[in-house]
Amino acid sequence: MTTLREALLLRVMTAEQRLRTLFAYDRTNRIFSVNLTMQQLKVLILLSRHDGIPSQELTRHLGVTLATLSGIVDRLVAPGYVTRTEDPHDRRIRRIHLSPAGREVLTEIMDSGNRAQQRLLARLDDETLLMLETVLERLLEAARADALEQGIVIPDDLENHSH
């Protein structure tokens, strides 16, 4: 027998899944016009936060082998999205950098997602926006608590920064 809470959780998760599905139909998002795999996009995102990261460290973030990472990086070097350099203190270490072209494509993807979100939120009335703000703050608190329980270090810019 399903409890009221279980039924409510299922309805919320179903609505969120339907929303994600609708977002996937939005062809104005730049992500649909770039030829990047999910792993390649993850590398670009990680480099935007940790530019010049050693290859070994990047493999740990992605959970892949050095050989797999090498192939991913090769495919990002070809269009000029990332560069490899030798570590100035240890030539055995290769550092991966986000190039200006990589930063530009990542910014375009994020900006187009933000524009789509803005269009959607603009359709909501002020009362609904206030409710949404409260719900998102509570969800953020739950996500922080969950991350801390898992031993995940939360970056400073994601710490408790309420307005």
Side-chain angles (χ1 to χ4, degrees):
M1 184 164 148
T2 303
T3 66
L4 178 61
R5 181 168 177 81
E6 289 170 337
L8 182 57
L9 285 169
L10 182 60
R11 287 196 313 269
V12 167
M13 290 173 64
T14 300
E16 200 271 336
Q17 176 61 48
R18 291 173 65 203
L19 188 58
R20 277 195 313 243
T21 300
L22 280 172
F23 288 156
Y25 284 100
D26 179 7
R27 294 298 177 227
T28 64
N29 194 318
R30 176 80 165 99
I31 199 164
F32 292 111
S33 63
V34 294
N35 191 17
L36 293 172
T37 66
M38 186 58 72
Q39 287 288 59
Q40 291 168 338
L41 183 58
K42 285 180 188 178
V43 168
L44 294 181
I45 291 168
L46 283 167
L47 291 177
S48 73
R49 296 189 64 90
H50 307 285
D51 195 35
I53 190 171
S55 297
Q56 282 293 121
E57 194 174 332
L58 197 50
T59 63
R60 285 192 292 277
H61 281 289
L62 293 170
V64 299
T65 66
L66 202 49
T68 298
L69 178 68
S70 182
I72 294 167
V73 171
D74 285 346
R75 288 185 293 282
L76 290 169
V77 167
Y81 293 149
V82 303
T83 60
R84 287 186 181 100
T85 61
E86 280 184 2
D87 184 287
H89 306 292
D90 186 343
R91 292 178 43 184
R92 295 170 298 175
I93 297 174
R94 295 276 183 243
R95 293 190 172 273
I96 313 299
H97 299 271
L98 188 60
S99 72
R103 191 167 306 283
E104 182 180 329
V105 76
L106 195 55
T107 298
E108 288 172 5
I109 290 168
M110 302 307 251
D111 286 351
S112 66
N114 289 339
R115 284 190 302 275
Q117 183 180 25
Q118 180 68 38
R119 282 194 321 267
L120 184 62
L121 292 174
R123 294 177 175 270
L124 303 177
D125 60 60
D126 290 353
E127 181 183 356
T128 304
L129 286 171
L130 285 168
M131 286 190 294
L132 182 58
E133 177 188 33
T134 300
V135 168
L136 288 174
E137 283 297 325
R138 290 183 184 164
L139 193 56
L140 197 53
E141 289 168 15
R144 281 188 197 105
D146 189 63
L148 290 173
E149 284 176 14
Q150 293 181 52
I152 296 170
V153 177
I154 301 171
D156 289 342
D157 60 336
L158 295 177
E159 276 298 333
N160 292 316
H161 288 290
S162 297
H163 41 264

